[in-house]
Amino acid sequence: MPLELIQFDPSHKLLGPGDRGFLVNLTKARWMESACAEAVKLLQSFTQLYYAEKCPQDKDGEKVSADSGMADLEEIEEEDGQRSAQEDKSGIQFAIREMAYPSVGFVASNLADPSDFAHFVLTKLADKNDFKKPRLPFRILPVQRVCEAKAKAVEQAVKPILEDTIGQDEFPFRFSLIFRGHNGGEHLSKYESKSVIRNCIWALNPNCVQCIKYQDYAIIMDIFEPLFVMGVAKDFQQLASYNTWIIRHGIKSDQGPDSEDEISDDPTLNEDEERKRKLRIKRKRRAEKAGLTQPEGDAKKSAEQIEDGDDGGDCEDDTDNHKLGTALNGEQDDSDTE
């Protein structure tokens, strides 16, 4: 598919409906002002290489070489990551949108498909070649739609995206619903947004299966009152949940057995019953894991003990199944592990 760009106002300050781009946060530190420039710099460094792949021949019929894109990965001379139109033929633009949430940033873009670009960037970073790795530990999540945080608006906004991915045929795609850090707003909760998107998926392709791991597509979503953001990520678990820090140190997959099992949603249960059922399954798995991994001679934690404890969250929430042996400054990654 050729490179497609949309109309874009880089001077606009606030995130709003119609924006597309990337939700970015620091996985090992608090968000800081310098992180905005660093995030733009990272994304900008891949535009020439992406353009060379999407447009092997430019407007003048000249073959575009990937060497210029490779050079961008080695060094960007401007501190703010911006380059002139003469230097970058891709036409891809980025701009920071201001948000009321200090823990995350949003990089808007004129890319028609930020998901494809994010997948390209993370795949290149994970490549065995010596690409220059980002200095800061980013999580880069594509956002293809920004709309009002109301059920009807969400349904109308996400349907075209889902039709282009899982709705084109009856193939039984696997999907996961990953809701980022906020529980919802006045008109739309975390669970309602998941229900809307899940129903849209099954209306388009009833053969799809919801899975925690091994999914074909991860549906990323979050609510920044009064806005809802959504994007579709490919190879989400394989690319370390789009975490550049883990990719930088080498992806180690420990996903274990296939997850197409009872952890997937049961549409016959209401929200509370479904949540309790999943918590029971999750606790049972942790109990079994604890029983298998305890050193011989030590007291093993029983299933009843784990069942009595607080599990600590929805098993559908954002998960990383790739962990570093030693995290930065001795800290673990900020995500829960399934």
Side-chain angles (χ1 to χ4, degrees):
M1 186 178 69
L3 178 63
E4 184 181 354
L5 303 177
I6 60 173
Q7 289 186 340
F8 174 71
D9 182 6
S11 64
H12 188 64
K13 297 297 183 184
L14 298 177
L15 178 66
D19 274 332
R20 302 183 192 186
F22 309 91
L23 201 60
V24 185
N25 74 300
L26 294 174
T27 63
K28 299 291 178 184
R30 293 185 178 275
W31 189 257
M32 61 192 80
E33 188 174 341
S34 61
C36 296
E38 188 74 18
V40 172
K41 182 178 178 180
L42 171 63
L43 295 171
Q44 187 72 57
S45 68
F46 285 89
T47 56
Q48 286 286 73
L49 195 59
Y50 185 68
Y51 178 70
E53 180 173 295
K54 294 294 179 180
C55 306
Q57 289 189 335
D58 60 16
K59 296 179 181 178
D60 300 326
E62 297 179 0
K63 187 175 180 180
V64 179
S65 172
D67 293 340
S68 60
M70 291 289 291
D72 292 335
L73 297 176
E74 297 301 325
E75 184 176 2
I76 301 176
E77 294 182 355
E78 280 88 3
E79 288 297 324
D80 61 358
Q82 301 297 321
R83 288 171 292 180
S84 65
Q86 290 79 9
E87 294 174 311
D88 190 346
K89 292 183 179 181
S90 70
I92 300 173
Q93 295 178 284
F94 302 102
I96 298 296
R97 296 291 194 243
E98 294 180 4
M99 301 179 68
Y101 297 84
S103 61
V104 66
F106 191 91
V107 180
S109 175
N110 63 340
L111 284 161
D113 190 0
S115 176
D116 187 64
F117 183 77
H119 182 263
F120 177 85
V121 170
L122 273 298
T123 300
K124 291 300 181 186
L125 285 177
D127 198 292
K128 295 297 183 182
N129 295 327
D130 294 328
F131 292 115
K132 184 177 180 181
K133 301 299 191 295
R135 180 178 61 88
L136 295 176
F138 288 118
R139 192 190 303 277
I140 303 173
L141 302 176
V143 173
Q144 293 162 280
R145 289 294 184 271
V146 179
C147 65
E148 191 178 6
K150 293 184 178 180
K152 194 66 177 178
V154 170
E155 182 180 346
Q156 293 175 349
V158 304
K159 269 188 175 181
I161 301 297
L162 297 176
E163 286 175 354
D164 290 341
T165 52
I166 64 172
Q168 292 182 334
D169 53 46
E170 296 182 355
F171 186 82
F173 292 106
R174 303 182 185 187
F175 70 94
S176 64
L177 301 176
I178 297 180
F179 195 98
R180 295 296 300 163
H182 307 94
N183 286 326
E186 181 180 355
H187 302 291
L188 187 70
S189 73
K190 160 184 176 178
Y191 301 105
E192 289 169 339
S193 62
K194 285 185 175 182
S195 178
V196 168
I197 291 183
R198 186 186 299 116
N199 291 338
C200 286
I201 291 173
W202 282 333
L204 291 168
N205 187 343
N207 297 317
C208 290
V209 179
Q210 185 173 351
C211 293
I212 300 298
K213 306 174 188 176
Y214 298 101
Q215 72 277 70
D216 298 293
Y217 298 104
I219 315 299
I220 312 294
M221 65 193 89
D222 205 340
I223 295 176
F224 301 98
E225 188 71 17
L227 299 174
F228 174 86
V229 302
M230 174 266 187
V232 178
K234 292 168 56 181
D235 299 327
F236 190 68
Q237 296 296 346
Q238 293 90 330
L239 291 174
S241 301
Y242 282 32
N243 186 325
T244 65
W245 178 256
I246 298 178
I247 288 176
R248 178 178 182 177
H249 289 78
I251 299 174
K252 298 179 181 179
S253 177
D254 57 352
Q255 290 178 307
D258 197 332
S259 68
E260 187 177 326
D261 52 20
E262 70 274 16
I263 203 69
S264 298
D265 279 8
D266 184 346
T268 63
L269 301 178
N270 63 38
E271 184 177 300
D272 289 339
E273 292 172 337
E274 178 71 355
R275 180 176 175 81
K276 291 177 181 178
R277 182 183 70 88
K278 289 182 178 181
L279 288 177
R280 287 195 298 271
I281 295 170
K282 193 174 181 182
R283 289 167 180 162
K284 179 182 176 182
R285 289 180 174 181
R286 288 183 174 177
E288 292 172 351
K289 184 177 180 180
L292 291 173
T293 58
Q294 285 288 335
E296 194 172 322
D298 288 356
K300 296 183 179 180
K301 191 178 292 185
S302 68
E304 291 78 11
Q305 287 175 315
I306 294 181
E307 183 70 31
D308 292 338
D310 185 11
D311 177 74
D314 186 352
C315 62
E316 274 189 310
D317 283 349
D318 179 36
T319 59
D320 270 339
N321 294 288
H322 312 277
K323 288 290 183 179
L324 290 176
T326 304
L328 180 65
N329 295 330
E331 298 177 359
Q332 292 294 325
D333 190 88
D334 65 337
S335 302
D336 294 333
T337 303
E338 186 63 50

PDB file of all heavy atoms in Angstrom, residues 43 163 241:
ATOM      1  N   LEU A  43      10.579   9.169  16.032  1.00  0.00           N
ATOM      2  CA  LEU A  43       9.667   8.888  14.928  1.00  0.00           C
ATOM      3  C   LEU A  43      10.180   9.483  13.621  1.00  0.00           C
ATOM      4  O   LEU A  43      10.114   8.856  12.559  1.00  0.00           O
ATOM      5  CB  LEU A  43       8.278   9.421  15.251  1.00  0.00           C
ATOM      6  CG  LEU A  43       7.559   8.762  16.444  1.00  0.00           C
ATOM      7  CD1 LEU A  43       6.293   9.532  16.791  1.00  0.00           C
ATOM      8  CD2 LEU A  43       7.225   7.317  16.128  1.00  0.00           C
ATOM      9  N   GLU A 163     -13.316  -2.626  10.017  1.00  0.00           N
ATOM     10  CA  GLU A 163     -13.691  -3.186   8.708  1.00  0.00           C
ATOM     11  C   GLU A 163     -12.455  -3.429   7.849  1.00  0.00           C
ATOM     12  O   GLU A 163     -12.389  -4.406   7.100  1.00  0.00           O
ATOM     13  CB  GLU A 163     -14.654  -2.242   7.991  1.00  0.00           C
ATOM     14  CG  GLU A 163     -16.065  -2.260   8.568  1.00  0.00           C
ATOM     15  CD  GLU A 163     -16.957  -1.225   7.912  1.00  0.00           C
ATOM     16  OE1 GLU A 163     -16.435  -0.420   7.100  1.00  0.00           O
ATOM     17  OE2 GLU A 163     -18.167  -1.207   8.205  1.00  0.00           O
ATOM     18  N   SER A 241       4.928  -5.592  23.493  1.00  0.00           N
ATOM     19  CA  SER A 241       3.899  -4.601  23.816  1.00  0.00           C
ATOM     20  C   SER A 241       4.309  -3.200  23.392  1.00  0.00           C
ATOM     21  O   SER A 241       3.962  -2.218  24.046  1.00  0.00           O
ATOM     22  CB  SER A 241       3.557  -4.639  25.308  1.00  0.00           C
ATOM     23  OG  SER A 241       3.088  -5.916  25.671  1.00  0.00           O
TER      24      SER A 241
END
